[in-house]
Amino acid sequence: MNYLKWDLGILQAGDVIEITLTRAANVRLMTPSNLASYRNGRRHQFHGGLVSTSPFHLTVPSSGPWHLTIDMAGLAGSTQASVQVLPRPLPPA
């Protein structure tokens, strides 16, 4: 299966990821073990799903290492994407 992949490194719970797509696609935020299962065609858990609006914001559910994939499984065509972790707001003065 063809997919786009980003290693997001260690993120903190509550961090927000902004995903910009040129076409609707499946977005999956996964832990390293779930990414391995995904790559091998096994059952896996993820956060996200079919995204048809852009930009799309996804909140990291827990602290740790995270990977993001974007694929067109079940959809026609292809997409281009950009991904960034948004900066956290400044603390109150």
Side-chain angles (χ1 to χ4, degrees):
M1 172 189 330
N2 291 331
Y3 58 90
L4 304 172
K5 179 191 164 300
W6 287 263
D7 179 347
L8 301 174
I10 305 289
L11 298 177
Q12 301 302 311
D15 282 348
V16 175
I17 303 163
E18 182 178 79
I19 301 112
T20 304
L21 303 169
T22 58
R23 171 176 270 176
N26 301 300
V27 173
R28 302 169 200 253
L29 178 65
M30 296 177 274
T31 62
S33 61
N34 280 298
L35 176 63
S37 294
Y38 169 77
R39 284 180 166 168
N40 292 310
R42 296 190 308 257
R43 288 182 53 156
H44 59 282
Q45 296 181 349
F46 62 91
H47 301 274
L50 177 61
V51 173
S52 58
T53 60
S54 184
F56 176 73
H57 291 165
L58 189 57
T59 302
V60 174
S62 60
S63 298
W66 289 97
H67 297 272
L68 187 97
T69 64
I70 297 174
D71 66 62
M72 300 300 288
L75 302 169
S78 63
T79 190
Q80 294 179 338
S82 64
V83 174
Q84 68 174 336
V85 178
L86 298 179
R88 288 188 168 252
L90 293 174

